[in-house]
């Protein structure tokens, strides 16, 4: 594979395929035609009754188009979120002309050629606000959930199902940053290509219209009973539904195969408002930081931006705050044409960024940019801005921005070059030396309490507990630990995560003033299932008009990262993701990439889980009751820094993160599964520039179902190293948390490398006696057969 | 204001404090006795925020059958100022409803 690590060379990223499904149609051309006709897809609601709600219109898919989608038998067992995503992703792939060839059929020569790409070099990033919530709504009773539907609920299930349906084996992720999710997913996907982890990615978002989410927006009085007019006279938003995907591809490969190029994805920025769980920062400070980061990372001066596709929901809180943030970047009077596409097809939540980007790129290819339907002059706070009205103007912008903002305070801004087919280089320097990444702080909260500086002494894998900070078996209470960071009704997972973050920050010696600029990447596969149950319970039991406003903001699972960012004032690059098992390593991979390329110097990473009745039902549905490990809850965080930053600040260095690898779709006890698990490990070793013989210990985060762990150990043991290094799974001692455990294993690896020996911190390992531990390989598996690997080693001189 | 109305007002206030505020919003750090009739509810005082305001509004409908959806936002803010003003609004709506 192309190793992007040492030269710092980064690949450029082209958009070569588009797919969309929304209220205006089920392909980019149809949607464009109706946009050009100033048509809206907002119509009378038919999907569910709107009695006693303040709004009875929405942007639903047209009945025939939905029926066609639902007649696909191959995807019939999946949640609608995945089904919408698959339909849009297939369109995008077809549009790109790329043919995916299974990675293990290289030798039959049938599909070789410029248009083909092997499945291990192409992955998928899906953004979703509500995951498979329709699978719970179908049942409308949380006390009697069945297995088949409940198994389709988790957020990561949507990305995994889509990747599986398309036959992909590259990096797969579900980004859960609510209404910014698909923008973040597209950004993450571009990083995978830039950093050499994939040659192409399908990236987008999906959210079908949900009755309970509609009820949640209704109770917050955010819905407009009339068709919305972003920036104009009518306050409030209309909900939509749909999915959209882009094919992102290495620009050089796209040019080589003569692909149609819609634009070049130059870069993107993320931020967090760190202000409130639903309301945007009133001056748009968060969106301002996301835009500034996107422009800086892309090396594109703001003067080159010739079109901005705004978030523009139409609510009182959003529109003026967003323009206020843009004024800080573009000046008090904004001359760049701006429009919001939301009056065409509604607010598509997690799919919004992708639907808006796909329809903008298609329109630009035809020589137009989207207008702002129903715009009738600026409302208060929206003046002195060049807002495009109802008609789509002819425009060929050199560069465009696409912005989105979310509950939980997450913001995203994408920068695209949209002229000259991306063949001319944009301003980004691509030859700088890449930074080395070290671990400088560890903090964790579990059923043993809170601790820092390591995890082994906490989880009981230790032979001595003399340096333990553990506070006993009582569940961790943030209120008792640090009341200033606690608030009423704070759910358990937010308390654990804030506690673990505080411990990691203290351990890394980071000052409060430094926190505003560091990154924060968090992984959780389920968020607060207790809060989600409380909200859904209010809707299912009392009725949609009695939806609980205080629990609604926690149905989006980026609310955990958002609350942590708010309490700790983490305002920089912020993301929240789900993989169903590999959250810890995936967050580390993402943060390390950002540090290597110089976009961040310090990044906090975290992962967490919460137990609840709903969580237990999901465990059963996902077959986790068959795991040999007890299910547990908690959170672990680590501080990562560039080596230069760590040295200059005098931080303790636990270990260096040397390499990462990932592969999706590894079925146990199959030849393909063997190859994929080995491929994830080999990729990490190659990046680290070491061999299996240099590995002293393997820490394996196994889900632990029957035969699974044995198979994983068997495959790893045969990776060509004699003697085989010890392979240890800590879940026997710590219990298993879908997201938490991979971070615990990574933290344990750092602790062991720092300690240099197993003696004293790892119990009963005769093979490790007297051995100096220099390199630890951490391998993690997901519930659905995704594997991630990370090499944690001594800092090299 | 008649004696019966005053009694009713006191009763409403006590339901507002316990059921509408403490139970519904799960206020773990304050008791009904500590919430005075004139304590500011939003921002200062009790420290509730905009999301909790909507919960209070839904609760008024669920507990008292009082709909506030048609009241303009600025006017509603005055009604939701403290326990006294909420109870008066509920009483007024009930009285009107009986007419």
């Amino acid at each position: 594979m192309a190793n992007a690590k040492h030269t710092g060379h980064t690949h450029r990223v082209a958009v070569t395929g588009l797919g969309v499904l929304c209220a205006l149609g089920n392909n980019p051309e149809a949607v464009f035609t109706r946009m050009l006709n100033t048509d809206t897809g907002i119509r009378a609601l038919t999907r569910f009754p709107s009695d006693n709600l303040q709004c009875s219109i929405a942007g639903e898919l047209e009945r025939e188009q939905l029926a066609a989608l639902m007649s696909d038998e191959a995807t019939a067992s999946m949640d609608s979120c995945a089904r919408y995503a698959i339909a849009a992703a297939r369109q995008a792939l077809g549009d790109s002309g790329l043919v995916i060839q299974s990675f293990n059929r290289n030798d039959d020569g049938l599909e070789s050629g410029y248009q083909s790409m092997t499945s291990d070099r192409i992955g998928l990033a899906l953004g979703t606000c509500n995951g498979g919530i329709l699978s719970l709504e179908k049942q409308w009773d949380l006390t009697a959930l069945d297995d088949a539907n409940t198994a389709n609920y988790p957020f990561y299930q949507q990305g995994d199902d889509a990747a599986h349906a398309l036959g992909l084996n590259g990096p797969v992720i579900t980004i859960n940053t609510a209404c910014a999710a698909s923008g973040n997913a597209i950004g993450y996907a571009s990083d995978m290509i830039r950093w050499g982890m994939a040659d192409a990615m399908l990236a987008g978002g999906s959210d079908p219209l949900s009755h309970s989410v509609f009820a949640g927006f209704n109770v917050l009085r955010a819905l407009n009973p009339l068709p919305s007019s972003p920036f104009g006279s009518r306050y409030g938003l209309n909900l939509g539904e749909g999915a959209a995907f882009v094919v992102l591809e290495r620009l050089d490969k796209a040019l080589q195969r003569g692909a149609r190029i819609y634009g070049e994805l130059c870069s993107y920025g993320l931020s967090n408002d760190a202000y409130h769980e639903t309301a945007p920062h009133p001056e748009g400070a968060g969106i301002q930081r996301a835009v500034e980061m996107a422009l800086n990372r892309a090396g594109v001066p703001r003067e080159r931006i010739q079109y901005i596709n705004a978030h523009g929901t139409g609510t009182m809180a959003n529109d003026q705050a967003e323009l206020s943030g843009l004024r800080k970047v573009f000046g008090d009077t904004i001359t760049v044409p701006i429009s919001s596409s939301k009056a065409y097809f509604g607010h598509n939540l997690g799919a919004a960024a992708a639907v808006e980007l796909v329809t903008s790129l298609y329109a630009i290819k035809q020589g137009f940019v989207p207008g702002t339907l129903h715009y009738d002059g600026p409302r208060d706070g929206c003046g002195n801005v060049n807002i495009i009205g109802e008609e789509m103007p002819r425009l060929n912008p050199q560069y465009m921005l696409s912005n989105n903002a979310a509950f939980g305070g997450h913001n995203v801004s994408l920068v695209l070059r949209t002229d000259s087919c991306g063949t001319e280089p944009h301003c980004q320097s691509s030859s700088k030396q890449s930074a080395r990444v070290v671990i400088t702080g560890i903090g964790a909260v579990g059923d043993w309490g809170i601790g820092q500086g390591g995890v082994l002494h906490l989880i009981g894998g230790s032979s001595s507990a003399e340096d333990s900070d553990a506070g006993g078996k009582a569940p961790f209470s943030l209120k008792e630990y640090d009341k200033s960071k606690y608030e009423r009704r704070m759910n358990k997972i937010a308390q654990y995560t804030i506690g673990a973050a505080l411990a990691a920050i203290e351990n890394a010696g980071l000052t409060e003033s430094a926190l505003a600029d560091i990154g924060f990447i968090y992984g959780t596969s389920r968020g607060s299932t207790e809060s989600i149950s409380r909200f859904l319970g209010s809707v299912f039991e009392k009725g949609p008009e009695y939806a609980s406003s205080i629990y609604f903001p926690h149905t989006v699972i980026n609310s955990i990262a958002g609350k942590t960012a708010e309490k700790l004032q983490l305002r920089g690059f912020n993301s929240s993701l789900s993989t169903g098992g590999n959250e810890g390593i995936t967050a580390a991979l993402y943060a390390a990439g950002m540090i290597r390329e110089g976009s961040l110097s310090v990044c906090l990473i975290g992962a967490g889980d919460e137990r609840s009745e709903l969580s237990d039902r999901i465990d059963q549905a996902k077959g986790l009751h068959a795991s040999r490990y007890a299910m547990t809850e908690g959170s672990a965080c680590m501080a990562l820094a560039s080596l230069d930053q760590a040295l200059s600040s005098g931080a303790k260095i636990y270990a260096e993160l040397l390499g990462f690898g990932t592969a999706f779709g590894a079925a146990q006890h199959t030849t393909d599964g063997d190859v994929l698990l080995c491929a994830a490990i080999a990729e990490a070793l190659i990046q680290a520039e070491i061999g299996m013989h240099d590995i002293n210990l393997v820490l394996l985060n196994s889900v632990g179902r029957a035969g699974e762990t044995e198979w994983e150990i068997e495959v790893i043991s045969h990776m060509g190293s004699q003697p085989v290094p010890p392979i240890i799974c800590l879940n026997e001692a710590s219990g298993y948390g879908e997201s938490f455990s991979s971070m615990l294993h990574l933290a344990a690896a750092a602790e062991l490398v720092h300690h240099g020996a197993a003696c004293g911190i790892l119990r009963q390992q005769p093979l490790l006696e007297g051995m100096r531990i220099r390199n630890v390989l951490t391998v993690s598996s997901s519930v659905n057969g995704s594997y991630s690997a990370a090499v944690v080693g001594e800092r090299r001189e | 204001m008649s004696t019966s109305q005053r009694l009713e007002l006191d009763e409403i206030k006590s339901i507002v404090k316990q059921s509408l505020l403490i139970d519904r919003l799960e206020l773990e750090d304050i008791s009904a006795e500590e919430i005075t009739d004139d304590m500011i509810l939003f921002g200062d005082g009790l420290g509730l925020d905009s999301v909790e305001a909507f919960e209070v509004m839904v609760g008024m409908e669920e507990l008292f059958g009082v709909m506030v959806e048609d009241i303009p936002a600025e006017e509603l803010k005055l009604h939701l100022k403290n326990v006294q003003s909420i109870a008066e609004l509920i009483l007024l709506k009930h009285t009107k409803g009986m007419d």
Side-chain angles (χ1 to χ4, degrees):
Chain A
M1 57 155 271
N3 186 347
K5 182 191 162 196
H6 292 282
T7 61
H9 177 78
T10 59
H11 301 293
R12 291 170 62 190
V13 179
V15 181
T16 60
L18 304 177
V20 67
L21 193 68
C22 69
L24 279 184
N26 61 359
N27 64 77
E29 189 190 353
V31 175
F32 168 72
T33 305
R34 293 186 63 186
M35 286 167 71
L36 199 59
N37 289 336
T38 66
D39 205 356
T40 181
I42 305 297
R43 298 175 288 266
L45 193 57
T46 63
R47 199 72 52 81
F48 42 78
S50 56
D51 310 343
N52 306 323
L53 301 181
Q54 291 164 33
C55 171
S56 55
I57 54 174
E60 295 178 351
L61 299 190
E62 290 194 347
R63 202 181 289 265
E64 305 74 42
Q65 291 174 1
L66 181 66
L69 189 75
M70 292 298 151
S71 67
D72 177 13
E73 284 179 19
T75 60
S77 64
M78 301 174 189
D79 185 84
S80 296
C81 180
R83 302 184 81 182
Y84 283 26
I86 291 163
R90 281 189 177 140
Q91 264 185 59
L93 193 62
D95 185 42
S96 76
L98 261 186
V99 177
I100 300 172
Q101 190 183 358
S102 178
F103 74 95
N104 56 358
R105 309 277 182 269
N106 275 341
D107 52 353
D108 61 15
L110 290 175
E111 294 285 359
S112 61
Y114 283 143
Q115 306 301 331
S116 75
M117 186 174 284
T118 54
S119 58
D120 57 330
R121 297 299 302 160
I122 174 164
L124 181 140
L126 171 75
T128 180
C129 189
N130 299 297
I133 198 165
L134 264 60
S135 290
L136 299 182
E137 284 177 13
K138 258 188 204 171
Q139 307 180 67
W140 210 261
D141 180 358
L142 292 176
T143 63
L145 294 174
D146 65 29
D147 284 350
N149 282 302
T150 306
N152 282 339
Y153 166 64
F155 285 59
Y156 63 80
Q157 193 65 35
Q158 317 314 318
D160 285 0
D161 277 345
H164 189 256
L166 285 145
L168 310 179
N169 299 111
V172 172
I173 195 168
T174 301
I175 300 278
N176 59 47
T177 49
C179 305
S182 52
N184 189 165
I186 290 167
Y188 177 86
S190 74
D191 288 336
M192 290 298 100
I193 297 169
R194 244 188 288 279
W195 300 339
M197 306 289 291
D199 291 330
M201 292 286 289
L202 277 153
S206 176
D207 270 306
L209 190 65
S210 148
H211 198 169
S212 50
V213 171
F214 196 96
F217 277 99
N218 178 75
V219 74
L220 294 184
R221 290 194 164 193
L223 298 179
N224 196 328
L226 300 170
S228 71
S229 67
F231 310 116
S233 64
R234 295 200 290 260
Y235 291 87
L237 63 82
N238 302 131
L239 282 175
E241 65 168 343
F245 268 78
V246 292
V247 171
L248 299 180
E249 195 176 342
R250 267 174 62 173
L251 177 64
D252 56 345
K253 294 208 171 202
L255 290 170
Q256 198 180 16
R257 71 179 183 92
R260 173 178 42 213
I261 294 172
Y262 290 97
E264 177 178 356
L265 184 61
C266 303
S267 194
Y268 71 103
L270 302 177
S271 71
N272 196 289
D273 281 5
Y275 176 73
H276 187 264
E277 58 196 20
T278 60
H281 185 280
E283 274 110 54
I287 197 75
Q288 177 196 346
R289 284 193 297 277
V291 169
E292 285 171 346
M293 181 183 192
L295 294 174
N296 287 337
R297 253 183 110 192
V300 173
R302 64 176 189 208
E303 295 78 18
R304 298 248 185 113
I305 301 297
Q306 293 173 345
Y307 169 63
I308 300 172
N309 188 275
H311 187 48
T313 59
T315 63
M316 187 182 287
N318 177 81
D319 291 9
Q320 62 173 11
E322 185 179 5
L323 293 182
S324 174
L326 290 175
R327 283 194 184 93
K328 307 256 171 52
V329 182
F330 293 94
D332 281 344
T333 301
I334 307 179
T335 54
V336 189
I338 298 179
S339 68
S340 162
S341 305
K342 288 197 169 62
Y344 289 118
F345 32 61
H347 186 354
N348 294 313
L349 304 178
V355 172
E356 290 156 18
L357 182 67
V358 163
T359 51
S360 292
L361 287 176
Y362 190 87
I364 288 168
K365 201 75 179 162
Q366 316 307 315
F368 294 87
V369 295
T372 312
L373 216 55
H374 311 137
Y375 180 68
D376 51 1
R379 64 174 69 163
D380 280 355
C382 296
N384 291 330
V385 176
N386 184 8
I387 291 168
I388 304 169
E390 293 214 320
E391 298 288 334
M392 289 175 69
R394 287 197 170 273
L395 203 66
N396 286 296
Q398 190 184 16
Y399 288 90
M400 70 167 281
L401 275 184
S402 180
N403 298 337
N404 289 88
F407 278 11
H410 288 92
N411 301 293
V412 59
S413 177
L414 305 169
V415 182
L416 290 103
R417 179 157 192 171
T418 46
D419 69 344
S420 67
C421 292
T423 49
E424 290 169 31
H426 65 79
C427 303
Q428 188 186 44
S429 142
S430 59
S431 59
K432 62 187 171 194
Q433 196 66 33
S434 76
R436 290 163 57 188
V437 183
V438 294
I439 295 165
T440 61
I442 300 170
V445 168
D447 58 9
W448 17 258
I450 186 165
Q452 59 178 263
V455 294
L456 291 168
H457 63 290
L458 300 169
I459 62 181
S462 170
S463 57
S464 78
E466 58 192 4
D467 51 352
S468 173
D469 296 332
K473 282 284 177 188
F476 173 77
S477 160
L478 183 64
K479 194 177 179 180
E480 285 165 26
Y481 182 73
D482 183 348
K483 202 176 175 199
S484 71
K485 301 291 186 282
Y486 177 80
E487 67 180 30
R488 289 165 178 156
R489 298 184 306 274
M490 186 178 272
N491 51 49
K492 286 189 294 177
I493 184 174
Q495 295 191 50
Y496 302 158
T497 302
I498 292 169
L502 285 169
I505 286 165
E506 185 182 315
N507 191 232
L510 289 167
T511 60
E512 209 163 296
S513 61
L515 298 184
D517 298 320
I518 72 172
F520 178 43
I521 300 173
Y522 185 72
T524 184
S525 63
R526 302 181 195 172
S528 174
T529 43
E530 181 61 39
S531 296
I532 293 167
S533 305
R534 298 292 291 271
F535 174 75
L536 291 177
S538 74
V539 176
F540 296 171
E541 288 158 27
K542 298 185 205 165
E545 66 271 36
Y546 297 114
S548 164
S549 70
I550 51 178
Y551 286 107
F552 179 54
H554 306 288
T555 54
V556 289
I557 63 175
N558 67 319
S559 59
I560 313 306
K563 191 52 75 182
T564 306
E566 182 190 326
K567 293 297 176 187
L568 304 183
Q569 287 300 297
L570 302 164
R571 294 182 290 222
F573 187 86
N574 261 258
S575 182
S576 181
L577 54 89
S578 300
T579 63
N582 298 333
E583 279 79 4
I585 292 181
T586 308
L589 176 161
Y590 198 1
M594 293 298 292
I595 292 171
R596 280 177 184 172
E597 70 161 44
S599 292
L600 291 174
S601 55
V602 179
C603 189
L604 185 69
I605 58 173
D609 298 296
E610 178 185 282
R611 306 283 312 139
S612 72
E613 270 180 50
L614 176 58
S615 186
D616 192 52
R617 287 296 299 114
I618 297 168
D619 286 343
Q620 184 184 316
K622 297 302 300 174
L624 289 175
H625 282 178
S627 170
R628 71 200 69 186
Y629 308 121
M631 295 294 126
T632 190
E633 63 181 0
S635 178
C637 291
M638 291 203 283
L640 309 186
S642 68
L643 179 59
D644 289 350
Q645 172 69 30
L647 291 174
S648 68
S649 65
K652 180 177 186 174
I653 295 174
Y654 285 91
E656 185 166 350
L657 279 166
L658 296 169
F660 294 95
T662 174
F664 175 79
Q668 293 171 45
H669 305 288
T670 64
T671 313
D672 285 1
D674 291 5
V675 173
L676 286 166
L677 172 50
C678 290
I681 294 170
E683 191 177 12
L685 292 170
I686 290 166
Q687 259 192 32
E689 297 179 322
I690 61 173
M692 198 65 181
H693 56 274
D694 298 309
I695 296 295
N696 308 112
L697 171 68
V698 179
L699 289 180
L700 171 66
N701 174 41
S702 178
V703 181
R705 291 163 295 199
E708 186 169 28
T709 315
E710 291 73 16
W711 172 71
E712 290 160 350
I713 289 172
E714 173 82 11
V715 174
I716 298 168
S717 302
H718 283 87
M719 281 194 71
S721 169
Q722 291 297 333
V724 176
I727 302 171
I728 298 169
C729 180
L730 300 173
N731 297 337
E732 187 67 51
S734 64
Y736 181 73
E738 215 174 38
S739 306
F740 177 37
S741 292
S742 60
M743 191 67 89
L744 274 184
H745 280 73
L746 200 60
E751 185 181 1
L752 283 161
V753 166
H754 180 63
H755 197 66
C759 176
I761 58 168
L762 201 59
R763 180 168 59 184
Q764 293 163 353
Q765 291 300 327
L767 278 171
L768 290 172
E769 234 164 71
M771 182 188 279
R772 181 162 174 80
I773 296 181
R774 296 177 191 278
N775 294 305
V776 177
L777 174 68
T778 308
V779 180
S780 178
S781 61
S782 82
V783 174
N784 290 331
S786 193
Y787 281 88
S788 290
V791 177
V792 180
E794 273 182 337
R795 175 160 70 93
R796 292 174 183 171
E797 296 309 326
Chain B
M1 191 176 278
S2 73
T3 313
S4 68
Q5 272 185 331
R6 196 170 304 117
L7 270 181
E8 208 180 327
L9 192 66
D10 286 342
E11 200 182 324
I12 292 171
K13 281 194 260 190
S14 106
I15 298 172
V16 166
K17 287 176 187 176
Q18 188 60 49
S19 304
L20 186 63
L21 297 176
I22 292 180
D23 295 347
R24 194 170 186 95
L25 300 176
E26 297 170 42
L27 304 181
E28 58 201 82
D29 51 355
I30 195 160
S31 66
E33 293 71 37
E34 291 169 291
I35 302 176
T36 56
D37 293 356
D38 60 352
M39 180 188 264
I40 300 292
L41 300 182
F42 295 93
D44 302 331
L46 195 57
L48 304 183
D49 76 356
S50 57
V51 170
E52 289 166 314
F54 295 115
E55 195 73 35
V56 168
M57 287 153 62
V58 173
M60 285 166 74
E61 185 178 342
E62 213 182 309
L63 292 170
F64 299 100
V66 168
M67 308 272 280
V68 295
E69 275 153 26
D70 300 330
I71 303 175
E74 286 307 308
E75 199 183 314
L76 190 56
K77 267 185 195 167
L78 299 175
H79 288 302
L80 299 184
K81 187 179 168 196
N82 52 35
V83 171
Q84 181 74 30
S85 61
I86 289 177
E88 281 170 7
L89 176 68
I90 291 166
L91 190 63
L92 179 76
K93 287 263 187 182
H94 277 191
T95 316
K96 269 190 183 170
M98 282 182 285
D99 287 343

